[in-house]
Amino acid sequence: MAMDLYEVSGLCVDVKYLVMGVLANNVYIISDGEGTMVVDPSCSADKIMAALDGARVDAIVLTHGHFDHTGAAAELRKATGAPVIASAADAPQIERPSDADLSTRGVPCPVDRTVAQGDIVEVGSMKWKVIETPGHTPGSLCLFDIPQFGNHPEGLPVLISGDTLFAGTIGRTDFEGGSMADMRASLKKLAALPDDTAVLPGHNSLTTIGAERRRVFALYGDPE
């Protein structure tokens, strides 16, 4: 198959990802062998379906409402019957894309379940804790899973960080609905996570909380 499907080893769950679309989004397929979720399906539902290789999709998780994270969600939802999960704040933009810059490319998608700070997204035996991280968008989310709720108990905890935290930098806050003050508060929440947490960002390289403690958190926060 002429597509690059990357596998990540050493984590508490099975993670594969595709790099897709004009903004080179990381589209994650995450499984514990019992359940599977797709995170931020950017485009080309058929390529995502091919990468799933017959696995049933139990959830489609959208970290925020920008078109490059939601473009294939409606088609994937239709093809798999999986519920689409997002924040209440970003759900309207996902259901009715209206952002002036993005409206030409946003594909409307129903949101089946909205989640908030502290909610748990259960997929298989995984229990992903929702962390509200506004800053890039008002409804940006991160999700955190610990080895106790993974199929590799010796593996690393995992944070899905969307466009909040990247390797060496943070998501832009100059879009409509963005806020640097909110972003700083959100980064403070993420800085509370263990250093060995593997970070799966929306774009570019994977990283860890420990690596970003020395870079991003030191720059944007006032860690104790």
Side-chain angles (χ1 to χ4, degrees):
M1 185 178 299
M3 66 175 180
D4 290 322
L5 181 63
Y6 302 95
E7 293 202 29
V8 189
S9 57
L11 311 187
C12 67
V13 290
D14 297 324
V15 175
K16 299 186 287 191
Y17 68 100
L18 295 154
V19 179
M20 306 184 79
V22 290
L23 296 178
N25 285 70
N26 296 333
V27 177
Y28 294 100
I29 298 170
I30 303 177
S31 176
D32 68 346
E34 295 177 48
T36 301
M37 65 184 194
V38 175
V39 179
D40 290 349
S42 177
C43 58
S44 308
D46 52 339
K47 287 186 181 172
I48 298 171
M49 292 295 289
L52 282 158
D53 199 23
R56 186 187 77 238
V57 180
D58 299 288
I60 299 164
V61 176
L62 306 180
T63 60
H64 62 290
H66 286 159
F67 81 95
D68 56 317
H69 295 257
T70 66
E75 200 178 336
L76 197 62
R77 177 181 181 268
K78 189 175 175 185
T80 62
V84 170
I85 300 170
S87 69
D90 276 19
Q93 183 172 347
I94 294 164
E95 296 194 316
R96 295 177 300 281
S98 60
D99 193 312
D101 296 328
L102 310 179
S103 59
T104 52
R105 292 175 287 191
V107 179
C109 178
V111 174
D112 299 292
R113 177 186 171 195
T114 58
V115 292
Q117 177 73 29
D119 285 351
I120 302 294
V121 174
E122 292 196 40
V123 177
S125 295
M126 298 181 285
K127 295 186 190 321
W128 292 90
K129 186 175 183 180
V130 174
I131 306 171
E132 289 184 344
T133 51
H136 181 64
T137 66
S140 288
L141 298 174
C142 294
L143 294 99
F144 179 61
D145 190 48
I146 59 174
Q148 181 185 346
F149 303 119
N151 55 328
H152 305 294
E154 74 293 345
L156 300 178
V158 176
L159 178 77
I160 298 165
S161 67
D163 282 5
T164 298
L165 178 63
F166 297 118
T169 189
I170 60 169
R172 289 175 60 173
T173 58
D174 57 339
F175 293 127
E176 186 181 341
S179 161
M180 180 52 84
D182 286 350
M183 177 64 84
R184 285 180 186 274
S186 294
L187 292 171
K188 204 162 188 176
K189 289 183 192 174
L190 299 185
L193 298 175
D195 276 356
D196 65 346
T197 303
V199 177
L200 310 182
H203 305 266
N204 305 323
S205 320
L206 280 52
T207 183
T208 64
I209 290 291
E212 300 321 319
R213 197 174 304 289
R214 298 189 296 273
R215 298 190 292 193
V216 167
F217 301 139
L219 190 59
Y220 290 97
D222 47 356
E224 276 65 53

